[in-house]
Amino acid sequence: MSDITKGAPGVPQAGTPASFALDFGKAWEYAPAPESPDHVKIAPKYELFIGGKWTAPQSKKYFDTVNPATEQKLAEVAEASAADVDAAVVAARTAFEKYWAKMPGKERAKYIFRIARAIQEKARELAIVETMDGGKPIKESRDFDIPTAAAHFFYHAGWADKLEYAFHGRKARPLGVAGQIIPWNFPFLMAAWKIAPALACGNTVVLKPAETTPLTALLLAQIIEECELPPGVVNIVTGAGATGAALVDHPGIDKIAFTGSTAVGKRIQRAVAGTKKRLTLELGGKAANIVFADAPIDQAIEGIVSGIFFNQGHVCCAGSRLLLEESVHDVVIRKLKDRMATMRLGDPLDKNTDIGAINSKAQLERIKELVASGELEGAERHSLACTIPEKGYWFPPTFFTNAGQAFRIAREEIFGPVLTIMTFRTPDEAIEKANNTMYGLSAGVWTDKGSKIFHMATQLKAGVVWGDTFNKFDPSSPFGGFKESGFGREGGRQGLGAYVEVE
Ligand code: ADP
C-alpha cells in the first residue's frame, strides 16, 4: 500500500511511510470554519407522525440516532411496530379518500409549493441536522441536498394541475396510498424525491426513513405540519428493517417505492409479487467512469473525485470504477494523487471539509472488509495519509490500481470512498468492461468528441450516462436503473408515471 501524503508537517499518520510525497507545505491548510449548530434545536425524543399528530409508538420502543462523526447520541426516535404502521396506513387511506384525491390539482400544488418555500426558509437548519445525523460534509448538505430537495417540491408543484399534459391528454388517476422506504445516504433529498411526485399525483404517503438518519425526515414532518397539509396526507414512521417490512406487507398499500440495497430490494420484490401493489426499486450501483485519451483531463479529475470521494462514496450512482484509456493511465493517476492530496477529511460541520464521516460503524466495517479483499486479491492500494479523528467512523479516500474485473472491489458496491481503477484500449473494450456488472444505474464518459459520448450512451446499460460531468441532478431529469439496479424512474415526466394509473 502506498500513502498519498500531503507533506504538511505532522499530517501523515496511519500506514506505512509514504512511497511518495507531495510537498504542498501549508498551501492547502485552512483555519477551521465550522458551521455552528447552536441555533439548531434537536429534540431529545421524536414520536411518529401519523394522521397529522405526533404519536407515541404502541410498542413503547425507541432507538438512538447518533452523530457518526462524534459517536454522540443526538436523539431518541420512536420505533414503529406493525400496529403503528397499520395506523399510519389507515390515516393515509382516510386522507386520500376524504381530502387529497378529491382536491383539484391546483389546490394540491399550493401545498406542495408551500413545502418547497418552507424548506428554503429552514435550509440552514436542515443542512446542519443532515450533516450531524448522517456525517456528510456541510458543503454537500448545504449546497446540494437541501436546495435540490426544495427544487423537487417546486418542480412537482408545477405538475400537480398539469398531469393531463404529462400523459398526452389521457387522464391520470392517483394510485392511493404509497409506502415509501428510503436509505441513509441522502435522507432529506430521498424523502423529497419520494413525497413530492406522490403528492403531486394525488396520492397520500407513509414514509419510512433509514434508522441511522431519521432526523431530517422528522423535520420535514414538522414542515408539513406547519404548512397545514390535511392530516394523514403525509405520515412518517421511523424504525429499522422490520418497520419497512411491515409497510411492504400491509394490504392497504397501493404502491411501494424503495431506494436501498439490492438485497433488500429483491426481498421486497418477492414480498409484493402476486399482490395489487405497484413497485419501483432504485437499488445499488457500480458505475463506470470512462476516461478517453482525448478527454479534458483536469476536468475529468474533478468529476472522478466528486464522483467517488466527496460524500464519502455514499452514493448509489457513485463512479466507483474508473476505466482509463491505457495511454493516459499514468498521467491520470499522477493528477488524481495530486488532487487527492489537497482533500480535507474531518469535521463534517467545517465548511472546508471534503470528506466527512462514514455513516455508521456497520458501514465502516463493510468498507474495511471489501478493501482488505482488494489487497488480498492482489490489487495495489493507495490511500490518502490523513489525520483520522479519534472519535467517529472514518475511512481515508482510497484507490486501487492493478485490479482485475473479477475482483470483489470491481464487482461489489462498496458504498465508501474507494475507487477501483482499470484500463481499456478501444471504445468497445470500455463498453464491455463498463457493462460487465450486475448493476446499471449510471456511467460517465469523458472525451472531447460529442459523437463518442452519444455512441457510448447508446451502448452503456445504465439509467443515466453523464458526458464530461458526473453526479449532476435535476428534478426534470429521470433517474433510475437497469438490471439489478432496479426499475422505474424518479424525476421528470417519467417519474410521475410511477404514481398514477393512466386511463
Ligand atoms: P443500505 O445498504 O442503503 O442501508 P438497506 O436496503 O439496508 O440499504 O436499507 C434501506 C432502507 O430499507 C432502510 O430504510 C431500511 O430500514 C429498510 N429496510 C431494511 N430491511 C428491510 C426489509 N426487509 N423490508 C423493508 N425495508 C427494509
Side-chain angles (χ1 to χ4, degrees), residues 211-370:
E211 53 272 36
T212 56
T213 53
L215 291 184
T216 48
L218 293 162
L219 296 189
L220 182 59
Q222 287 175 357
I223 287 173
I224 283 165
E225 195 180 18
E226 284 163 24
C227 291
E228 297 180 344
L229 263 75
V233 170
V234 175
N235 305 273
I236 310 280
V237 290
T238 41
T243 308
L247 191 55
V248 169
D249 291 338
H250 197 291
I253 292 283
D254 299 295
K255 186 223 157 62
I256 291 286
F258 173 78
T259 298
S261 63
T262 294
V264 173
K266 285 181 180 177
R267 211 175 302 156
I268 291 175
Q269 196 170 9
R270 278 194 290 273
V272 304
T275 71
K276 63 169 183 179
K277 292 169 200 166
R278 294 258 296 263
L279 178 64
T280 43
L281 297 174
E282 199 260 272
L283 308 175
K286 194 74 191 172
N289 216 348
I290 303 166
V291 180
F292 285 98
D294 59 6
I297 299 290
D298 291 337
Q299 201 178 318
I301 296 292
E302 284 310 303
I304 295 163
V305 299
S306 72
I308 186 67
F309 296 133
F310 296 168
N311 221 350
Q312 305 76 247
H314 288 349
V315 188
C316 34
C317 53
S320 54
R321 290 181 298 155
L322 177 61
L323 299 182
L324 297 177
E325 189 161 353
E326 218 170 70
S327 59
V328 287
H329 175 271
D330 292 354
V331 64
V332 171
I333 299 288
R334 179 173 58 73
K335 284 177 179 258
L336 182 61
K337 282 179 173 171
D338 287 357
R339 180 66 181 89
M340 286 170 71
T342 69
M343 295 194 317
R344 287 170 294 272
L345 176 146
D347 180 5
L349 281 173
D350 192 312
K351 290 166 211 140
N352 293 321
T353 292
D354 299 305
I355 320 279
I358 300 300
N359 182 261
S360 66
K361 193 161 187 238
Q363 186 55 27
L364 179 60
E365 293 309 321
R366 178 167 166 73
I367 295 168
K368 284 182 178 165
E369 194 261 322
L370 274 159

Side-chain angles (χ1 to χ4, degrees), residues 112 116 150-160 474-477 491-493 496:
I112 302 168
H152 270 265
F153 279 102
F154 278 122
Y155 175 80
H156 286 96
W159 271 123
D474 188 275
S476 63
S477 173
R493 197 171 57 78
L496 300 170

Side-chain angles (χ1 to χ4, degrees), residues 159 162-172 493-494 496 500 502-503:
W159 271 123
K162 302 177 196 70
L163 291 175
E164 72 220 68
Y165 300 105
F167 301 103
H168 308 296
R170 293 164 69 195
K171 194 162 169 44
R493 197 171 57 78
Q494 292 84 344
L496 300 170
V500 291
V502 180
E503 285 179 357

